[in-house]
Amino acid sequence: MTKKALKLKAGTEKTKAAGGRIGMRKRINTATDPYLLKEAYPDPSECKKCRSVFHKKKWIHADNAPKRAEALEKKKVLCPACLKIKEKYAEGFVTLQGEFLVEHKDEIISLIRNKEEIASRLNPLERVIDIKAKKGTIEITTTTEKLAERIGQILNKAYRGSVDYKWSSDT
């Protein structure tokens, strides 16, 4: 496979943790995200749709919620990620194109879904909103720019294509 067999474009954010490495804790830019409330949700709250739990000022995947939070009566709300998905408000964009894409479309989409599952277990606010396949192109929209960047990285690592990053701060 040649280097230009799969072209990626991922819209992301420039921020990295100290030392230039992206840490395991997934951060969301709360200052610019209009879907994150300035005031906290009642503690604990549970998303009606995805069952994520808001506890101690952060959203946690339902499987990772502490037992004491599970025991308490939770207020039913819609989490910021489910709101973005409902209203189709994307913050991250990935565009895939190339002849390699046509032959390996199902495999690539499966890889993207696996990456989304891993990311949402660490931070339930990081999810894929939509995957649209058009003539020779796949467009993926995500709830965060960071997830779009990581999708671009994982596809580049798996298929050795070329990646073109467009940072939101550059626009």
Side-chain angles (χ1 to χ4, degrees):
M1 178 171 83
T2 64
K3 264 196 157 261
K4 294 186 180 179
L6 179 65
K7 287 187 172 184
L8 307 165
K9 287 185 183 176
T12 64
E13 196 178 326
K14 270 189 181 176
T15 57
K16 287 188 179 179
R21 304 185 120 215
I22 297 172
M24 277 305 291
R25 184 173 178 150
K26 309 297 184 209
R27 296 178 189 240
I28 304 282
N29 189 351
T30 57
T32 60
D33 192 335
Y35 283 79
L36 294 177
L37 297 175
K38 300 300 180 208
E39 63 214 38
Y41 288 90
D43 192 351
S45 295
E46 181 179 54
C47 181
K48 297 180 228 180
K49 188 160 181 139
C50 70
R51 297 192 16 169
S52 295
V53 177
F54 182 80
H55 182 60
K56 293 191 176 180
K57 299 182 182 181
K58 64 181 177 181
W59 285 97
I60 306 164
H61 192 276
D63 295 343
N64 300 335
K67 297 285 184 214
R68 65 180 175 276
E70 286 297 316
L72 297 171
E73 185 177 331
K74 294 177 272 313
K75 182 175 179 182
K76 299 290 185 185
V77 296
L78 209 54
C79 75
C82 288
L83 278 170
K84 287 179 184 181
I85 292 168
K86 178 182 175 188
E87 296 178 7
K88 297 192 183 300
Y89 179 83
E91 288 195 354
F93 304 87
V94 180
T95 304
L96 307 174
Q97 56 190 10
E99 60 278 350
F100 180 80
L101 180 64
V102 177
E103 298 171 23
H104 296 81
K105 179 180 158 189
D106 294 335
E107 181 182 326
I108 290 169
I109 290 174
S110 178
L111 188 63
I112 292 165
R113 289 293 183 195
N114 288 340
K115 183 63 183 170
E116 175 195 20
E117 186 176 334
I118 292 166
S120 70
R121 290 221 172 256
L122 294 171
N123 184 346
L125 301 185
E126 293 191 320
R127 299 215 233 121
V128 170
I129 295 173
D130 200 8
I131 298 176
K132 290 182 183 173
K134 297 180 181 178
K135 288 191 291 184
T137 306
I138 294 178
E139 294 177 355
I140 303 126
T141 53
T142 63
T143 57
T144 65
E145 292 180 322
K146 261 328 198 194
L147 180 57
E149 178 183 10
R150 284 194 301 280
I151 288 171
Q153 289 170 345
I154 197 90
L155 291 172
N156 186 41
K157 185 177 179 180
Y159 299 109
R160 291 176 177 70
S162 62
V163 181
D164 179 26
Y165 290 102
K166 303 285 186 195
W167 307 103
S168 62
S169 58
D170 292 346
T171 57

